[in-house]
Amino acid sequence: MTEPATEFPPPKILTLSPAHKPILITQGAEGRLYKTPSPFQPDQFCALKYRPPKPYRHPILDARLNKARISSEAKVLDRCYREGVPVPAVLAKDATAGWMMIEWIEGEPVRVGINKWLGKRPEDDDVVDHSQEDETPLIDLMKRIGVAVGALHRTGVVHGDLTTSNMMLRPWADDRLPNGHGDKAEKAKAVAGDVVVIDFGLAMQSQSDEDRAVDLYVLERAFASTHPRAERLFHHILDSYREAFKKAPGVLRKLEDVRMRGRKRSMLG
């Protein structure tokens, strides 16, 4: 009995090595992300981002859009990587075919690490005495996030979708991991690692303080919705951002304006 044809076949680049079947990691409205052995270093993995043809678009328009978006994302990633921003390296691309191969980042999303640190939500947050808890590892992570965003903006790039799901925690070597055993050590290890910013599908090159402030606002709202118990520590991200990026004061002033507009929209519905 033959297997039914898959509804979403992978791009041809992933069918060249029948010994290694690519793994579909995630699928969004615009594209798919695969994990596959690297053609350059067979003992390592890489990620392949693929924008398949959209049957609801005119074929010529669709091909142009996919080519432009892959080219733009690769260009932004290349620029960031050259400037020392913690992002995946671009290994290869075929914009005409709609795919880009990038470095595979081991580890977990920052979102997962923070939620592991926070643990199970207490029945009443008001009774939690945070002063009795050593939050240094979590605060250190917030500072590393601020440095990463500062480096990104310093390069003249705005991410467009800054959330803790679009940041990875790349594991440190064992000699940098927190020592000890038990719950405290495990919590500290959950938020250990280098912050690597990923998914630049909505990124653009911009020197605008307004655009940068919107980037920060999106991240702040992501904390409010995804990690509400960590939102009170968000100022550590902004403090670290200010130290990492000399133009931060103007951006943070704009952030106040963006927050005000956001509050007005919430009130008006």
Side-chain angles (χ1 to χ4, degrees):
M1 182 176 178
T2 59
E3 293 184 1
T6 177
E7 183 181 355
F8 299 109
K12 290 182 179 179
I13 183 68
L14 295 182
T15 64
L16 300 180
S17 177
H20 299 287
K21 187 176 181 180
I23 302 170
L24 179 62
I25 301 300
T26 184
Q27 178 172 314
E30 288 294 321
R32 289 172 248 158
L33 183 70
Y34 294 90
K35 181 179 182 181
T36 181
S38 170
F40 312 105
Q41 296 175 299
D43 59 332
Q44 296 185 9
F45 288 96
C46 65
L48 188 134
K49 188 168 186 177
Y50 176 49
R51 289 180 174 271
K54 305 296 187 298
Y56 53 83
R57 288 194 194 126
H58 188 283
I60 296 178
L61 174 62
D62 183 61
R64 288 177 178 172
L65 284 174
N66 282 347
K67 181 178 180 178
R69 288 169 179 171
I70 287 290
S71 297
S72 176
E73 185 171 358
K75 184 177 180 180
V76 165
L77 279 171
D78 274 334
R79 178 173 181 175
C80 290
Y81 191 81
R82 289 196 308 270
E83 295 293 329
V85 183
V87 300
V90 178
L91 305 177
K93 76 174 188 296
D94 185 340
T96 301
W99 61 261
M100 173 177 62
M101 190 174 288
I102 60 177
E103 174 188 6
W104 178 261
I105 305 298
E106 293 291 346
E108 293 184 320
V110 168
R111 169 184 53 79
V112 174
I114 293 178
N115 285 340
K116 283 184 178 179
W117 168 275
L118 295 172
K120 186 178 178 180
R121 181 169 184 167
E123 293 183 3
D124 186 355
D125 287 351
D126 294 334
V127 302
V128 177
D129 185 1
H130 296 289
S131 64
Q132 301 302 313
E133 183 179 10
D134 180 11
E135 297 182 314
T136 302
L138 180 58
I139 292 172
D140 286 344
L141 171 59
M142 305 290 265
K143 291 178 178 179
R144 295 197 301 277
I145 292 173
V147 170
V149 179
L152 179 69
H153 287 178
R154 187 172 63 243
T155 307
V157 171
V158 172
H159 187 274
D161 190 21
L162 270 182
T163 68
T164 52
S165 293
N166 286 335
M167 299 177 186
M168 297 292 292
L169 276 173
R170 179 158 48 193
W172 287 329
D174 290 342
D175 58 352
R176 291 187 61 188
L177 289 175
N179 295 321
H181 302 280
D183 292 342
K184 288 185 178 180
E186 289 304 311
K187 285 182 65 174
K189 289 177 182 178
V191 292
D194 293 320
V195 174
V196 180
V197 187
I198 62 171
D199 198 352
F200 281 72
L202 298 177
M204 62 179 178
Q205 299 186 51
S206 173
Q207 299 288 346
S208 164
D209 284 351
E210 172 84 11
D211 292 338
R212 290 163 173 160
V214 171
D215 239 8
L216 291 174
Y217 182 70
V218 169
L219 181 58
E220 186 175 48
R221 299 317 300 158
F223 265 86
S225 60
T226 310
H227 318 289
R229 286 178 289 148
E231 186 184 8
R232 61 192 170 79
L233 300 176
F234 190 80
H235 67 92
H236 291 290
I237 291 180
L238 299 182
D239 292 343
S240 187
Y241 175 83
R242 185 183 289 108
E243 294 176 6
F245 182 38
K246 67 179 182 180
K247 295 183 179 180
V251 178
L252 296 178
R253 285 193 293 272
K254 278 289 183 182
L255 178 59
E256 290 299 326
D257 295 339
V258 174
R259 284 169 171 165
M260 184 64 69
R261 295 200 300 268
R263 283 193 288 268
K264 287 182 179 178
R265 283 196 295 269
S266 297
M267 291 173 62
L268 295 174

